[in-house]
Amino acid sequence: MLQNSMRPKLSFIDNIGRQQLADGIADMFFAEPLFDAMPDLVFFVKDLQGRYVVVNQTLVNRCGLKDKDHLIGRTAEEVFPASLATSYQEQDQLVLVQGYEVKDQLELHLYPDRDPGWCLTNKIPLFDKNRKVIGLSGTSRDLGMPDQRHPVYHRIAAAVRHIHTHFGETVPMIELEQITNLSVAQIERYFQKIFSLTPRQFMIKVKLDAATGMLADSQRSITDIAATCGYQDHSAFSRMFKATVGMTPTEYREVLLSADKD
């Protein structure tokens, strides 16, 4: 009883200490140098107009720029290709206007000076003291190599091989259960630990990895590629592609072709 009765008071005291520390910090962006030391993580803060206010050096490097001053104050439209910039701005508006949070959104990022790379993106709105949205902050973390030292890795690897072999189909979880001799809950937990992805996210990644490779062949139609990747509905394929890559399959192909010309 004594412990329970003290919890609210301790919580109140903790909140006071937290506020005092916040009020006493000279630079509210004190964590920026910490993010600079993370080469596999992009970090940024934007204002209501979508302009970069704070960025880490990783984002600067991946945009092909020399230092932060070349990125601060600019919008995605001024940095990325039009098709990508539109997608980023639409996502930002959900955060800035509706207060929506983006959590572990699987994305294929294309940077001007870097090969395409998969990442998990998070964005949160920033509020003033009156709970009014005044900006947003976000991170995009590169997907690292799978943890092959995990004791169950060999079982999950068998499921992964099955997903790769049947990327043009919808692989039901019951098949993965039979292959791994694990329950659905265990499969989901181990996928998260080994790949930092849910099984569904992993399946999407495998499908779109295959699709992006096929799009390099200008002779193949988008409809054919969609069907090969298991999407009988061309529009469903395009929606999934745009939600993950930030542009339609046609726009992605145009980017590939323009890069080849360069």
Side-chain angles (χ1 to χ4, degrees), residues 9-227:
K9 292 182 180 179
L10 288 173
S11 177
F12 178 70
I13 292 172
D14 288 343
N15 284 336
I16 291 177
R18 178 176 175 175
Q19 189 59 51
Q20 288 176 337
L21 179 61
D23 293 341
I25 293 175
D27 181 5
M28 68 176 64
F29 298 121
F30 64 91
E32 184 181 344
L34 299 177
F35 287 111
D36 283 337
M38 299 180 180
D40 63 340
L41 182 79
V42 162
F43 167 73
F44 53 87
V45 176
K46 296 182 180 181
D47 62 17
L48 278 176
Q49 285 71 46
R51 296 174 297 206
Y52 289 105
V53 177
V54 179
V55 296
N56 71 337
Q57 192 60 39
T58 302
L59 178 56
V60 174
N61 295 342
R62 292 186 181 182
C63 287
L65 302 173
K66 292 184 178 180
D67 54 55
K68 296 180 181 181
D69 289 341
H70 291 108
L71 189 54
I72 299 299
R74 301 174 71 180
T75 65
E77 186 178 16
E78 298 173 281
V79 179
F80 297 98
S83 52
L84 277 180
T86 299
S87 177
Y88 295 158
Q89 288 170 339
E90 289 173 353
Q91 191 181 69
D92 288 351
Q93 285 304 300
L94 289 176
V95 181
L96 294 170
V97 177
Q98 300 183 28
Y100 178 78
E101 290 189 9
V102 176
K103 295 183 178 180
D104 286 336
Q105 171 69 43
L106 178 65
E107 294 181 338
L108 180 63
H109 275 193
L110 304 173
Y111 292 101
D113 71 333
R114 186 171 178 264
D115 291 333
W118 288 97
C119 66
L120 290 175
T121 294
N122 291 271
K123 292 181 181 179
I124 59 172
L126 300 177
F127 301 94
D128 64 12
K129 293 182 179 179
N130 297 316
R131 296 297 296 173
K132 181 180 178 182
V133 177
I134 56 174
L136 67 82
S137 182
T139 60
S140 289
R141 177 171 53 86
D142 294 348
L143 285 180
M145 296 295 292
D147 181 9
Q148 299 184 19
R149 297 169 300 176
H150 196 283
V152 189
Y153 175 78
H154 69 283
R155 292 204 207 179
I156 298 299
V160 167
R161 286 193 295 272
H162 184 75
I163 292 171
H164 276 281
T165 303
H166 299 84
F167 73 89
E169 307 169 16
T170 299
V171 178
M173 290 299 292
I174 190 171
E175 288 187 12
L176 301 187
E177 285 183 288
Q178 294 168 349
I179 291 169
T180 62
N181 198 27
L182 298 168
S183 68
V184 171
Q186 288 174 315
I187 292 171
E188 291 178 341
R189 182 166 68 252
Y190 291 136
F191 259 83
Q192 285 280 10
K193 287 184 176 180
I194 294 171
F195 300 103
S196 299
L197 294 173
T198 66
R200 181 176 180 276
Q201 286 177 320
F202 190 90
M203 291 178 195
I204 291 172
K205 178 181 180 298
V206 170
K207 286 179 181 291
L208 294 186
D209 272 337
T212 55
M214 295 178 204
L215 286 167
D217 181 0
S218 60
Q219 301 303 312
R220 294 196 67 167
S221 70
I222 305 296
T223 301
D224 176 53
I225 293 173

Side-chain angles (χ1 to χ4, degrees), residues 241-261:
F241 196 97
K242 189 175 190 303
T244 308
V245 182
M247 60 178 73
T248 66
T250 300
E251 291 169 334
Y252 183 86
R253 170 172 278 171
E254 290 173 354
V255 170
L256 290 178
L257 294 177
S258 65
D260 289 341
K261 292 178 181 178

